[in-house]
Amino acid sequence: MNLSPGAAEFVLALAGLCIGSFLNVCIHRLPLKQSVVHPGSRCPDCGYALRWYDNVPVLSYAALRGRCRSCARPISLQYPLVEIATAIIFVLHWYAFGPTIALPVRLLFACAMVVLFMIDLEHQILPDVITLPGIVTGVICSFFLPPGPLMSVLGVVAGGGLLWAIAEMWYRLRKVDAMGFGDVKMLAMVGAWLGLKMVLVTFVLSSMIGGVVGLVLIASRRADMATRVPFGTMLAVAALVASMYGEGLLAWYLSRLGA
Ligand SMILES: [Zn+2]
């Protein structure tokens, strides 16, 4: 394949914007248990049915200056932000995977992580409708791609088991639920897609991200030690990093240990 420089990045960025637009629909509707394909998008305030030209990623938001064409109430900044973030994530995947069969598979995984990130941030839930089929799909893909079926199944057991054990211990010590089982199923899904090694990397990274975010929130007095942090958001970020850069990070870390 002979692509002119930047062509692949351009195509992936465009695809990311369009798919990000669909992810917005999933983020909005899945917690409400609504269909993500029917009916078409409407203004949540006045019910105006969006025309195609109201639905162009980022551009429509900019052209309408962030307001509904019909009732002029503000449209959430979430919509263009998710579209732009998805586009960036798609291009980063191109740099990480190049023209391989792993590229579309890991892009699918990344889309699930974007949706889980946003839903956990807004509703503090991680819908089974994503995580459970996610576990199955991850294991199926592992028959054709790394990490392979054995590592994939071990990833499910380790990811799910690790969080389940922590939740159980925490419950016995403090008599409070540290996290919902949504987190357990989500880390099991990450294990299915990324395998045993990377699910452990994801867990360590997510704890580090969680620690930093927690300290910043406490320092800025937006939270105290008892604030419930949506752990799924940290897991989503950590899993994306592990998916793209985990092998490199781990090799670097192990080489530092050996030095
Ligand atoms: Zn409206």
Side-chain angles (χ1 to χ4, degrees):
M1 223 172 18
N2 233 336
L3 291 171
S4 54
E9 286 91 335
F10 181 74
V11 169
L12 277 159
L14 269 188
L17 288 174
C18 298
I19 292 172
S21 181
F22 173 68
L23 298 185
N24 272 315
V25 176
C26 299
I27 291 161
H28 186 70
R29 293 188 184 177
L30 286 181
L32 305 172
K33 302 199 191 300
Q34 292 172 348
S35 160
V36 294
V37 284
H38 190 82
S41 301
R42 288 174 180 276
C43 167
D45 288 316
C46 68
Y48 165 75
L50 271 63
R51 311 287 193 273
W52 67 268
Y53 49 81
D54 299 316
N55 235 340
V56 182
V58 182
L59 293 181
S60 292
Y61 185 89
L64 293 167
R65 293 172 201 277
R67 289 176 179 280
C68 169
R69 186 185 297 282
S70 166
C71 69
R73 290 205 193 100
I75 305 165
S76 168
L77 194 59
Q78 174 208 305
Y79 290 93
L81 286 183
V82 167
E83 287 158 1
I84 291 169
T86 308
I88 293 171
I89 290 169
F90 271 41
V91 173
L92 290 178
H93 272 71
W94 171 257
Y95 293 135
F97 296 102
T100 60
I101 187 71
L103 179 68
V105 173
R106 289 302 177 89
L107 283 176
L108 185 63
F109 176 72
C111 289
M113 291 302 117
V114 170
V115 172
L116 289 173
F117 176 94
M118 289 304 297
I119 293 179
D120 198 33
L121 193 63
E122 286 172 11
H123 304 276
Q124 286 77 51
I125 53 168
L126 295 160
D128 285 349
V129 71
I130 301 173
T131 52
L132 295 183
I135 294 172
V136 177
T137 313
V139 173
I140 292 173
C141 289
S142 77
F143 279 90
F144 311 100
L145 285 168
L150 175 64
M151 285 300 137
S152 172
V153 169
L154 287 177
V156 174
V157 174
L162 189 64
L163 278 194
W164 179 81
I166 291 172
E168 188 65 27
M169 245 164 36
W170 199 253
Y171 181 74
R172 296 211 173 152
L173 285 172
R174 302 274 302 269
K175 297 288 172 208
V176 286
D177 263 321
M179 33 197 165
F181 274 86
D183 305 289
V184 174
K185 286 172 259 182
M186 181 175 174
L187 198 59
M189 172 184 172
V190 172
W193 287 74
L194 305 186
L196 176 62
K197 245 190 323 177
M198 285 307 125
V199 81
L200 298 177
V201 169
T202 299
F203 181 73
V204 172
L205 279 177
S206 66
S207 309
M208 285 161 61
I209 298 169
V212 172
V213 171
L215 285 178
V216 169
L217 288 179
I218 289 169
S220 62
R221 297 180 187 279
R222 288 166 192 271
D224 59 40
M225 291 304 284
T227 304
R228 197 173 171 285
V229 185
F231 189 53
T233 59
M234 327 277 175
L235 278 182
V237 175
L240 277 179
V241 172
S243 172
M244 289 188 284
Y245 311 115
E247 294 290 348
L249 276 177
L250 191 61
W252 172 81
Y253 180 71
L254 293 177
S255 77
R256 301 275 301 185
L257 282 187

